[in-house]
Short mmCIF file of all heavy atoms in Angstrom, two decimals:
data_model
loop_
_atom_site.label_atom_id
_atom_site.label_comp_id
_atom_site.label_asym_id
_atom_site.label_seq_id
_atom_site.Cartn_x
_atom_site.Cartn_y
_atom_site.Cartn_z
N VAL A 967 -4.36 -55.00 -79.12
CA VAL A 967 -3.25 -55.58 -78.37
C VAL A 967 -2.07 -55.93 -79.28
O VAL A 967 -0.92 -55.73 -78.92
CB VAL A 967 -3.71 -56.83 -77.59
CG1 VAL A 967 -2.56 -57.42 -76.83
CG2 VAL A 967 -4.80 -56.44 -76.62
N LYS A 968 -2.39 -56.41 -80.46
CA LYS A 968 -1.30 -56.80 -81.37
C LYS A 968 -0.38 -55.61 -81.66
O LYS A 968 0.84 -55.74 -81.60
CB LYS A 968 -1.89 -57.34 -82.67
CG LYS A 968 -0.84 -57.80 -83.66
CD LYS A 968 -1.45 -58.47 -84.86
CE LYS A 968 -0.38 -58.79 -85.90
NZ LYS A 968 -0.92 -59.41 -87.10
N MET A 971 1.69 -54.70 -78.52
CA MET A 971 2.82 -55.60 -78.27
C MET A 971 3.99 -55.24 -79.20
O MET A 971 5.14 -55.27 -78.80
CB MET A 971 2.41 -57.05 -78.51
CG MET A 971 1.39 -57.55 -77.52
SD MET A 971 2.09 -57.56 -75.85
CE MET A 971 0.65 -57.88 -74.90
N ASP A 1010 -12.12 -60.31 -83.85
CA ASP A 1010 -11.37 -60.86 -82.73
C ASP A 1010 -9.87 -60.75 -82.96
O ASP A 1010 -9.13 -61.68 -82.76
CB ASP A 1010 -11.76 -62.31 -82.47
CG ASP A 1010 -11.68 -63.12 -83.73
OD1 ASP A 1010 -10.93 -62.73 -84.64
OD2 ASP A 1010 -12.34 -64.14 -83.83
N LYS A 1011 -9.45 -59.60 -83.40
CA LYS A 1011 -8.02 -59.46 -83.62
C LYS A 1011 -7.26 -59.31 -82.30
O LYS A 1011 -6.06 -59.43 -82.27
CB LYS A 1011 -7.72 -58.30 -84.55
CG LYS A 1011 -8.23 -56.97 -84.08
CD LYS A 1011 -8.15 -55.95 -85.19
CE LYS A 1011 -8.96 -54.73 -84.81
NZ LYS A 1011 -9.23 -53.85 -85.93
N ASP A 1012 -7.98 -59.04 -81.23
CA ASP A 1012 -7.30 -58.95 -79.95
C ASP A 1012 -7.03 -60.33 -79.38
O ASP A 1012 -7.81 -61.23 -79.56
CB ASP A 1012 -8.16 -58.18 -78.95
CG ASP A 1012 -7.88 -56.70 -79.06
OD1 ASP A 1012 -6.69 -56.35 -79.09
OD2 ASP A 1012 -8.83 -55.93 -79.11
N LEU A 1013 -5.95 -60.45 -78.71
CA LEU A 1013 -5.64 -61.77 -78.19
C LEU A 1013 -6.23 -61.98 -76.81
O LEU A 1013 -6.96 -61.14 -76.30
CB LEU A 1013 -4.15 -62.04 -78.21
CG LEU A 1013 -3.24 -61.24 -77.34
CD1 LEU A 1013 -1.98 -62.04 -77.15
CD2 LEU A 1013 -2.90 -59.93 -77.99
N LEU A 1014 -5.95 -63.11 -76.27
CA LEU A 1014 -6.74 -63.52 -75.12
C LEU A 1014 -6.35 -62.91 -73.81
O LEU A 1014 -7.19 -62.61 -73.00
CB LEU A 1014 -6.64 -65.02 -74.93
CG LEU A 1014 -5.95 -65.80 -75.98
CD1 LEU A 1014 -5.22 -66.94 -75.34
CD2 LEU A 1014 -7.00 -66.26 -76.92
N LEU A 1015 -5.10 -62.80 -73.54
CA LEU A 1015 -4.84 -62.39 -72.19
C LEU A 1015 -3.64 -61.47 -72.07
O LEU A 1015 -2.78 -61.44 -72.90
CB LEU A 1015 -4.64 -63.59 -71.29
CG LEU A 1015 -3.56 -64.57 -71.68
CD1 LEU A 1015 -2.33 -64.36 -70.87
CD2 LEU A 1015 -4.07 -65.95 -71.46
N TRP A 1016 -3.71 -60.75 -71.05
CA TRP A 1016 -2.65 -59.83 -70.72
C TRP A 1016 -2.13 -60.22 -69.38
O TRP A 1016 -2.89 -60.55 -68.50
CB TRP A 1016 -3.24 -58.43 -70.60
CG TRP A 1016 -3.26 -57.72 -71.87
CD1 TRP A 1016 -3.83 -58.13 -73.01
CD2 TRP A 1016 -2.68 -56.46 -72.11
NE1 TRP A 1016 -3.65 -57.19 -73.95
CE2 TRP A 1016 -2.96 -56.16 -73.43
CE3 TRP A 1016 -1.97 -55.57 -71.33
CZ2 TRP A 1016 -2.53 -54.98 -74.01
CZ3 TRP A 1016 -1.56 -54.40 -71.91
CH2 TRP A 1016 -1.83 -54.12 -73.24
N ILE A 1025 -8.99 -60.76 -72.00
CA ILE A 1025 -9.71 -59.76 -72.77
C ILE A 1025 -10.92 -60.36 -73.46
O ILE A 1025 -12.01 -60.35 -72.94
CB ILE A 1025 -8.78 -59.02 -73.73
CG1 ILE A 1025 -7.76 -58.28 -72.89
CG2 ILE A 1025 -9.59 -58.06 -74.57
CD1 ILE A 1025 -7.07 -57.16 -73.57
N PHE A 1026 -10.75 -60.95 -74.60
CA PHE A 1026 -11.89 -61.55 -75.27
C PHE A 1026 -11.65 -63.04 -75.44
O PHE A 1026 -10.53 -63.44 -75.68
CB PHE A 1026 -12.09 -60.93 -76.66
CG PHE A 1026 -12.28 -59.47 -76.62
CD1 PHE A 1026 -11.49 -58.64 -77.40
CD2 PHE A 1026 -13.22 -58.91 -75.79
CE1 PHE A 1026 -11.66 -57.27 -77.36
CE2 PHE A 1026 -13.40 -57.54 -75.75
CZ PHE A 1026 -12.62 -56.73 -76.53
N TYR A 1032 -8.91 -68.09 -84.58
CA TYR A 1032 -7.73 -67.43 -84.00
C TYR A 1032 -6.72 -68.47 -83.53
O TYR A 1032 -5.54 -68.40 -83.82
CB TYR A 1032 -8.14 -66.55 -82.83
CG TYR A 1032 -6.99 -65.77 -82.29
CD1 TYR A 1032 -6.77 -64.48 -82.72
CD2 TYR A 1032 -6.10 -66.34 -81.39
CE1 TYR A 1032 -5.69 -63.76 -82.27
CE2 TYR A 1032 -5.01 -65.63 -80.94
CZ TYR A 1032 -4.82 -64.34 -81.37
OH TYR A 1032 -3.74 -63.64 -80.93
N VAL A 1040 -0.65 -66.96 -76.61
CA VAL A 1040 0.12 -66.24 -75.61
C VAL A 1040 0.33 -67.11 -74.39
O VAL A 1040 -0.60 -67.39 -73.66
CB VAL A 1040 -0.64 -65.00 -75.12
CG1 VAL A 1040 0.33 -63.98 -74.61
CG2 VAL A 1040 -1.52 -64.47 -76.19
N TRP B 529 5.09 -62.47 -83.67
CA TRP B 529 3.90 -62.55 -84.52
C TRP B 529 3.23 -61.19 -84.73
O TRP B 529 2.51 -60.98 -85.69
CB TRP B 529 2.91 -63.56 -83.98
CG TRP B 529 2.24 -63.12 -82.70
CD1 TRP B 529 2.70 -63.31 -81.44
CD2 TRP B 529 1.00 -62.43 -82.57
NE1 TRP B 529 1.85 -62.77 -80.53
CE2 TRP B 529 0.79 -62.23 -81.19
CE3 TRP B 529 0.04 -61.95 -83.47
CZ2 TRP B 529 -0.34 -61.58 -80.70
CZ3 TRP B 529 -1.07 -61.30 -82.96
CH2 TRP B 529 -1.26 -61.12 -81.60
#
Side-chain angles (χ1 to χ4, degrees):
Chain A
V967 180
K968 181 174 175 181
M971 294 296 170
D1010 52 24
K1011 58 192 166 195
D1012 272 314
L1013 66 158
L1014 353 145
L1015 57 101
W1016 271 56
I1025 296 200
F1026 302 128
Y1032 185 95
V1040 205
Chain B
W529 70 272

